Amino acid sequence: SVALVAGSVGGYTALRAGYATPTETAVALVGAEELPVAPIQAEQYHVLSAARALDAAGQVSGYVVVTARQGYKSEIRVQSTFTADGNTLAGIRVLSQHETEYLGARIATEGFAADFAGRKMPLKLADSAALGAPVDGLSGSTISAQAVVDAVNDARNFLKYSIQTGN
């Protein structure tokens, strides 16, 4: 029983370690091809638009998905760019937000966005006990930061569904 518990903890710790360190990523974008978003997917995953990123040879080099989530004061629209396998986040960009100035509005800074690059999916705020790649939250802006994390995870879940179904 003790060995089983120790083995479980070791496996759990090893699984968590895979999320801790970001990897270097790049997505070549020479062209794009729209991914279909059915109304039910738009509602379930909060997706506004999605596209395959194509390299010079016309091969899929990644995916770009725009999602929206409610922040503290406003809807937050996030563009998430993923690698071709859909498992690693190449980066994010907050497209629109009207959060509290000097607090939640910090989600739109390059410093906040930089923490997302190269992270394996799913994501979580660093102080969360959930399984996932840790992203630093913003002190005093937890609701806004969580909305961005949720928007990125929504994008990944939509992408996972789209890749599995061949859409």
Side-chain angles (χ1 to χ4, degrees):
S1 176
V2 172
L4 177 61
V5 170
S8 297
V9 170
Y12 180 71
T13 302
L15 182 59
R16 282 186 160 313
Y19 291 105
T21 307
T23 57
E24 202 165 312
T25 59
V27 174
L29 178 58
V30 175
E33 181 179 90
E34 186 176 351
L35 277 172
V37 180
I40 194 160
Q41 294 169 323
E43 183 178 339
Q44 181 177 357
Y45 302 115
H46 307 100
V47 176
L48 303 176
S49 65
R52 291 178 188 89
L54 305 174
D55 63 16
Q59 299 298 310
V60 174
S61 60
Y63 298 90
V64 179
V65 182
V66 176
T67 50
R69 275 299 189 115
Q70 182 61 42
Y72 180 71
K73 279 182 64 176
S74 69
E75 179 183 79
I76 299 169
R77 290 183 179 207
V78 180
Q79 175 182 295
S80 303
T81 304
F82 298 92
T83 56
D85 66 3
N87 293 320
T88 305
L89 186 62
I92 69 158
R93 193 173 93 177
V94 174
L95 299 175
S96 68
Q97 58 81 25
H98 297 287
E99 296 296 276
T100 308
E101 190 175 5
Y102 305 114
L103 288 173
R106 296 178 295 163
I107 61 171
T109 64
E110 287 183 24
F112 181 68
D115 199 32
F116 288 75
R119 297 288 181 178
K120 290 187 185 240
M121 297 302 295
L123 300 178
K124 68 178 187 96
L125 288 181
D127 61 354
S128 169
L131 184 63
V135 175
D136 287 333
L138 298 169
S139 180
S141 305
T142 305
I143 294 171
S144 303
Q146 185 65 56
V148 173
V149 168
D150 291 344
V152 174
N153 284 332
D154 285 343
R156 168 58 179 116
N157 291 335
F158 165 77
L159 193 56
K160 185 176 177 182
Y161 171 82
S162 293
I163 291 172
Q164 286 175 347
T165 61
N167 290 331

